[in-house]
Structures are given as structure tokens and as C-alpha cells.
């Protein structure tokens, strides 16, 4: 299973998150502060050290956490490509703020002297909620007498991330999952929110200028279509120009089970050359226009 073509094409927010997390983690390591990044009861409640919240949210405490965490952030760029950078920015901000608030509340209730794990755990484990509900299983296989799917590798990476910091990572992980669930059920109407165009234009000029120049056009299911998630823009010709194999009924049925129209699913599969992941992205992107 994959999250679309490689690279950060149509995922400028994810690119910024990955770069920020990597830079802050390396900088903290060079200054010997990696083990002091996480929040504790003294930092959050007694000392009210607000400035420590920023590095604790973005910087990891160890190299294994950094590698696995960046891999998951990079994979979850699929959601930015599906809902757009504006709405994904709302999801990121909501996940980080709400998960951090839950974490501070837990520290206040438990009054535990231990330090929680640092890093974007809240965002990563909030992303597992839409991953579970919205990303379909496309294949299953057996190994060592157990059943696995093409999503198992991502779940395993998340489990490994939880084990990296052992008990310190469970609290931010659970808080992140709760934040993702609240976003899923549209708590406070959060899923309807979008950043104003003036704000997004300023941010785009500051951080995403290179990405905006290569922004892919919206897909058009009825004519020539630019596949919205291609690292290099590849124009898939319309069916009338080049004959394409008929999509498998199993792939059409899977897209229909996700709520798409059967004719639109068939056309999207033909334009995606029967790649169900690309076809799903085409249909989801078409719904957001």
C-alpha cells in the first residue's frame, strides 16, 4: 500500500512539518537537550513554561522516534492531498492544540513526575483515526499463521513509535487519538472551518512558494485528467484516444462501497489505469471542488 507518488507534491504542509521536526530534533541533539524536550508536571503546571510547548510538540527525543515519526508524517500526506492543504492545516492545528491540552490535563490529574515523550505524537496518532476509517484495505495476506492487510505496516510503525519511549509515549499517543476522534465526529463544527484566503496567501508566499508553482490542476473525470498526486504531472489521456483495459468489477465494487457512483468509479479507474489508489484520490478530489 502507498500514499500516492513519492515526494511532497501537493503536500506543502506535510513538507513543512517534516522539515521543522527534523531541524528541531537535530538542533536539540546538538545542544544536548534531547532528553529534556518532553513535558512534565513541573513544566506544564507548576512552572507554566509555555515556551517549552513548541519544541515538545515538534522535536523528537531520539533518532528511532525521529525516523519512524517522519516516516508516518510523510505517509499521512495522503490526507492533505485528499482534503487540500487548507483543511489539512486546520486538522494539524486542531490535533496539536487539543492533544496538548489533553496531555496537560492528564499531567495535572496524575501529578506524575515523569516526562512525557516529545514530538508530534498528537498529530501522528490523530491521523490514525482517518487512516482506520477512510483508507480502504485493498489486499490481505497470511504470514506466520496470522492475517495481515496492506495497512498493517503503518499500524506496526505506529506501534513501534509507541514502544520507542515506552511508558512516556502512551499518554501523548492516546491524547492524539482522542483529538483525531473529536475531529472525526466534527466536534465544535471543526471540519467546516477553513483559513481565510488572505492568511493562506501570506503563508503560501512565505513557506510554500515553490510548491504553488507546481500545483496540479483539479481532476476532470470526463476528459483529459491530471492525476492530482503525481510527483511529475502525468496526463492520462481520455478513453477515446487510447484503449484501456476494462476495470475489474472488484475494484469498482470497492469504490462503490466507499460511497462513489459506479459510473464515476469506472471512469476514474480507467483514467488511473486501474490503480485503485489513484482512482480513489481522483474521486475524493473531485468531491472537494
Amino acid at each position: 500500500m502507498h500514499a500516492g507518488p513519492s515526494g511532497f507534491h501537493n503536500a506543502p504542509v506535510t513538507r513543512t512539518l517534516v522539515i521543522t521536526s527534523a531541524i528541531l530534533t537535530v538542533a536539540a541533539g546538538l545542544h544536548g537537550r534531547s532528553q529534556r524536550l518532553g513535558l512534565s508536571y513541573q513544566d506544564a503546571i507548576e512552572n507554566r513554561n509555555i515556551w517549552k510547548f513548541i519544541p515538545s510538540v515538534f522535536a523528537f527525543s531520539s533518532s528511532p522516534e525521529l525516523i519512524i515519526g517522519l516516516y508516518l508524517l510523510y505517509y499521512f500526506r495522503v490526507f492533505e492531498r485528499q482534503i487540500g492543504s487548507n483543511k489539512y492545516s486546520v486538522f494539524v492545528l486542531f490535533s496539536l492544540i487539543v492533544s496538548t491540552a489533553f496531555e496537560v490535563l492528564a499531567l495535572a490529574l496524575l501529578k506524575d513526575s515523569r516526562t512525557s515523550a516529545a514530538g508530534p505524537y498528537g498529530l501522528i496518532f490523530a491521523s490514525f483515526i482517518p487512516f482506520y476509517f477512510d483508507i480502504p484495505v485493498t489486499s490481505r495476506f497470511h504470514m506466520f499463521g496470522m492475517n495481515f492487510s496492506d495497512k498493517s505496516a503503518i499500524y506496526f510503525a505506529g506501534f513501534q513509535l509507541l514502544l520507542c519511549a515506552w511508558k512516556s509515549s502512551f499518554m501523548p499517543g492516546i491524547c492524539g487519538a482522542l483529538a483525531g476522534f473529536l475531529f472525526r465526529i466534527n466536534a465544535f463544527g471543526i471540519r467546516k472551518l477553513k483559513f481565510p484566503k488572505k492568511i493562506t496567501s501570506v503563508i503560501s508566499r512565505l513557506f510554500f512558494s515553490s510548491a504553488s508553482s507546481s500545483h496540479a490542476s483539479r481532476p476532470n473525470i470526463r476528459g483529459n485528467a491530471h492525476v492530482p498526486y503525481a510527483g511529475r504531472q502525468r496526463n492520462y489521456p481520455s478513453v477515446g484516444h487510447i484503449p484501456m483495459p476494462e476495470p475489474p468489477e472488484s475494484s469498482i465494487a470497492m469504490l462503490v462501497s466507499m460511497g462513489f457512483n459506479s459510473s464515476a468509479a469506472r471512469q476514474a479507474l480507467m483514467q488511473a489505469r486501474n490503480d485503485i489508489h489513484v482512482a480513489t484520490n481522483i474521486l475524493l478530489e473531485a468531491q472537494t471542488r
Side-chain angles (χ1 to χ4, degrees), residues 112-149:
D112 197 335
S113 59
R114 289 177 297 182
T115 302
S116 62
Y121 277 80
L123 173 59
I124 291 173
F125 286 93
S127 300
F128 272 100
I129 302 300
F131 176 74
Y132 175 80
F133 287 104
D134 299 334
I135 301 298
V137 173
T138 57
S139 63
R140 299 183 183 275
F141 57 94
H142 298 273
M143 184 181 294
F144 306 118
M146 295 184 290
N147 296 324
F148 295 93
S149 73

Coordinates of all heavy atoms in Angstrom, one line a residue, residues 112-149:
D112 N 2.3 13.3 37.8 CA 3.4 12.3 37.7 C 4.6 13.1 37.4 O 4.7 14.1 36.6 CB 3.1 11.4 36.5 CG 4.0 10.2 36.5 OD1 5.1 10.2 37.1 OD2 3.6 9.1 36.0
S113 N 5.7 12.7 38.1 CA 7.0 13.4 37.9 C 7.7 13.1 36.6 O 8.6 13.7 36.2 CB 7.9 13.1 39.1 OG 8.1 11.7 39.2
R114 N 7.2 12.0 36.0 CA 7.9 11.5 34.7 C 7.6 12.5 33.6 O 6.5 13.1 33.6 CB 7.4 10.1 34.4 CG 8.0 9.0 35.3 CD 7.5 7.7 34.9 NE 6.0 7.6 35.1 CZ 5.3 6.5 34.8 NH1 5.9 5.4 34.4 NH2 4.0 6.5 35.0
T115 N 8.5 12.5 32.6 CA 8.3 13.4 31.5 C 7.7 12.6 30.3 O 8.1 11.5 30.0 CB 9.7 14.0 31.0 OG1 10.3 14.7 32.1 CG2 9.5 14.9 29.8
S116 N 6.7 13.2 29.7 CA 6.1 12.6 28.5 C 7.0 12.7 27.3 O 7.9 13.5 27.2 CB 4.7 13.2 28.2 OG 4.9 14.6 27.9
A117 N 6.8 11.8 26.3 CA 7.6 11.8 25.1 C 7.4 13.1 24.3 O 6.3 13.6 24.2 CB 7.2 10.6 24.3
A118 N 8.5 13.6 23.7 CA 8.4 14.8 22.9 C 8.2 14.4 21.5 O 8.6 13.3 21.0 CB 9.6 15.6 23.1
G119 N 7.6 15.3 20.7 CA 7.4 15.1 19.3 C 6.0 15.2 18.9 O 5.1 15.3 19.7
P120 N 5.7 15.2 17.6 CA 4.3 15.4 17.1 C 3.5 14.1 17.3 O 2.8 13.7 16.3 CB 4.5 15.8 15.6 CG 5.8 15.2 15.2 CD 6.6 15.2 16.5
Y121 N 3.5 13.5 18.4 CA 2.7 12.3 18.7 C 1.2 12.6 18.5 O 0.5 11.8 18.0 CB 3.0 11.8 20.1 CG 4.2 11.0 20.3 CD1 5.4 11.5 20.4 CD2 4.1 9.6 20.4 CE1 6.6 10.8 20.6 CE2 5.2 8.8 20.5 CZ 6.4 9.4 20.6 OH 7.6 8.6 20.8
G122 N 0.8 13.8 19.0 CA -0.6 14.1 18.9 C -1.1 14.1 17.4 O -2.2 13.5 17.1
L123 N -0.4 14.7 16.5 CA -0.8 14.7 15.1 C -0.7 13.4 14.5 O -1.6 12.9 13.7 CB 0.1 15.7 14.4 CG 0.0 15.7 12.8 CD1 -1.5 16.1 12.5 CD2 1.0 16.7 12.2
I124 N 0.4 12.6 14.8 CA 0.6 11.3 14.2 C -0.6 10.4 14.6 O -1.2 9.7 13.7 CB 1.9 10.7 14.6 CG1 3.1 11.5 13.9 CG2 2.0 9.3 14.2 CD1 4.5 11.2 14.4
F125 N -0.9 10.3 15.9 CA -1.9 9.3 16.3 C -3.3 9.9 16.1 O -4.2 9.1 16.0 CB -1.7 9.0 17.8 CG -0.5 8.0 17.9 CD1 0.8 8.5 18.2 CD2 -0.6 6.7 17.8 CE1 1.9 7.7 18.3 CE2 0.4 5.8 17.9 CZ 1.7 6.3 18.2
A126 N -3.5 11.2 15.9 CA -4.7 11.7 15.4 C -5.0 11.2 14.0 O -6.1 11.0 13.6 CB -4.8 13.2 15.5
S127 N -3.9 11.1 13.2 CA -4.0 10.7 11.8 C -4.4 9.3 11.6 O -4.9 8.9 10.6 CB -2.7 11.0 11.1 OG -2.3 12.4 11.1
F128 N -4.2 8.5 12.7 CA -4.6 7.1 12.6 C -6.1 6.9 12.6 O -6.6 5.9 12.2 CB -4.0 6.3 13.8 CG -2.6 5.7 13.5 CD1 -1.5 6.4 14.0 CD2 -2.4 4.6 12.7 CE1 -0.2 5.9 13.7 CE2 -1.2 4.1 12.4 CZ 0.0 4.8 12.9
I129 N -6.8 7.9 13.1 CA -8.3 7.8 13.1 C -8.8 7.8 11.7 O -9.6 6.9 11.2 CB -8.9 8.9 14.0 CG1 -8.4 8.8 15.4 CG2 -10.4 8.8 13.9 CD1 -8.7 7.5 16.1
P130 N -8.5 8.9 10.8 CA -9.0 8.8 9.4 C -8.3 7.7 8.7 O -8.9 7.2 7.7 CB -8.6 10.2 8.9 CG -7.5 10.7 9.8 CD -7.8 10.1 11.1
F131 N -7.1 7.3 9.1 CA -6.5 6.2 8.4 C -7.3 4.9 8.6 O -7.5 4.1 7.6 CB -5.0 6.0 8.9 CG -4.3 4.8 8.4 CD1 -3.8 4.8 7.1 CD2 -4.1 3.6 9.1 CE1 -3.2 3.7 6.6 CE2 -3.5 2.5 8.6 CZ -3.0 2.6 7.3
Y132 N -7.8 4.7 9.8 CA -8.6 3.5 10.0 C -9.9 3.5 9.3 O -10.4 2.5 8.7 CB -8.8 3.4 11.6 CG -9.7 2.2 11.9 CD1 -9.3 0.9 12.0 CD2 -11.1 2.5 12.2 CE1 -10.1 -0.1 12.4 CE2 -11.9 1.4 12.6 CZ -11.4 0.1 12.6 OH -12.3 -0.9 13.0
F133 N -10.6 4.7 9.3 CA -11.9 4.8 8.8 C -12.0 5.1 7.3 O -12.9 4.6 6.6 CB -12.7 5.9 9.5 CG -13.1 5.5 10.9 CD1 -12.5 6.1 12.0 CD2 -14.2 4.6 11.1 CE1 -12.9 5.7 13.3 CE2 -14.6 4.3 12.4 CZ -13.9 4.8 13.5
D134 N -11.0 5.8 6.7 CA -11.2 6.3 5.4 C -10.3 5.7 4.3 O -10.5 5.8 3.1 CB -10.9 7.8 5.4 CG -11.9 8.6 6.2 OD1 -13.0 8.1 6.4 OD2 -11.5 9.7 6.7
I135 N -9.2 5.0 4.8 CA -8.3 4.3 3.8 C -8.7 2.9 3.7 O -8.7 2.1 4.7 CB -6.8 4.4 4.3 CG1 -6.4 5.9 4.4 CG2 -5.9 3.7 3.3 CD1 -6.5 6.7 3.2
P136 N -9.2 2.4 2.5 CA -9.7 1.1 2.4 C -8.5 0.0 2.3 O -7.4 0.3 1.9 CB -10.4 1.1 1.0 CG -9.7 2.2 0.3 CD -9.2 3.2 1.3
V137 N -8.8 -1.2 2.8 CA -7.9 -2.3 2.6 C -8.1 -2.8 1.2 O -9.2 -3.2 0.8 CB -8.3 -3.4 3.7 CG1 -7.4 -4.6 3.4 CG2 -8.0 -2.9 5.1
T138 N -7.0 -2.9 0.5 CA -7.1 -3.4 -0.9 C -6.5 -4.8 -1.1 O -6.7 -5.4 -2.1 CB -6.3 -2.4 -1.8 OG1 -4.9 -2.3 -1.4 CG2 -6.9 -1.0 -1.8
S139 N -5.8 -5.3 -0.1 CA -5.3 -6.7 -0.2 C -5.0 -7.2 1.2 O -4.7 -6.5 2.1 CB -4.0 -6.7 -1.0 OG -2.9 -6.0 -0.4
R140 N -5.2 -8.5 1.3 CA -4.9 -9.3 2.5 C -4.0 -10.4 2.2 O -4.0 -11.0 1.1 CB -6.2 -9.8 3.1 CG -7.2 -8.6 3.5 CD -8.5 -9.2 4.2 NE -9.4 -8.1 4.5 CZ -9.4 -7.4 5.5 NH1 -8.5 -7.5 6.5 NH2 -10.3 -6.4 5.7
F141 N -3.2 -10.8 3.3 CA -2.3 -12.0 3.1 C -2.1 -12.6 4.5 O -2.4 -12.0 5.5 CB -1.0 -11.5 2.5 CG -0.3 -10.4 3.3 CD1 0.7 -10.7 4.2 CD2 -0.6 -9.1 3.0 CE1 1.4 -9.7 4.9 CE2 0.1 -8.1 3.8 CZ 1.0 -8.4 4.7
H142 N -1.6 -13.8 4.4 CA -1.3 -14.6 5.6 C 0.2 -14.7 5.8 O 1.0 -14.9 4.9 CB -1.9 -16.0 5.5 CG -3.4 -16.0 5.4 ND1 -4.3 -16.0 6.4 CD2 -4.2 -16.0 4.2 CE1 -5.5 -16.0 6.0 NE2 -5.5 -16.0 4.6
M143 N 0.6 -14.6 7.1 CA 2.0 -14.8 7.5 C 2.1 -15.2 8.9 O 1.5 -14.7 9.8 CB 2.8 -13.4 7.3 CG 4.3 -13.5 7.5 SD 5.1 -11.9 7.3 CE 4.8 -11.6 5.6
F144 N 2.9 -16.3 9.1 CA 3.1 -16.9 10.4 C 1.8 -17.2 11.1 O 1.6 -17.1 12.3 CB 3.9 -15.9 11.3 CG 5.2 -15.4 10.8 CD1 5.4 -14.1 10.5 CD2 6.2 -16.3 10.5 CE1 6.6 -13.6 10.0 CE2 7.4 -15.9 10.0 CZ 7.6 -14.5 9.7
G145 N 0.8 -17.7 10.2 CA -0.5 -18.1 10.7 C -1.4 -17.0 11.1 O -2.4 -17.3 11.7
M146 N -1.1 -15.7 10.8 CA -1.9 -14.6 11.1 C -2.3 -13.9 9.9 O -1.7 -14.0 8.8 CB -1.1 -13.6 12.1 CG -0.8 -14.2 13.4 SD 0.0 -13.0 14.5 CE 1.6 -12.9 13.7
N147 N -3.4 -13.2 10.0 CA -3.9 -12.4 8.8 C -3.4 -11.0 8.9 O -3.4 -10.3 9.9 CB -5.5 -12.4 8.9 CG -6.1 -13.7 8.7 OD1 -5.6 -14.5 7.9 ND2 -7.2 -14.0 9.4
F148 N -3.0 -10.5 7.7 CA -2.5 -9.1 7.6 C -3.1 -8.5 6.4 O -3.7 -9.1 5.5 CB -0.9 -9.1 7.4 CG -0.2 -9.6 8.6 CD1 0.2 -10.9 8.7 CD2 0.2 -8.7 9.7 CE1 0.9 -11.4 9.8 CE2 0.9 -9.2 10.8 CZ 1.2 -10.5 10.9
S149 N -3.0 -7.1 6.4 CA -3.5 -6.4 5.2 C -2.4 -5.4 4.8 O -1.4 -5.3 5.4 CB -4.8 -5.6 5.5 OG -4.5 -4.5 6.4

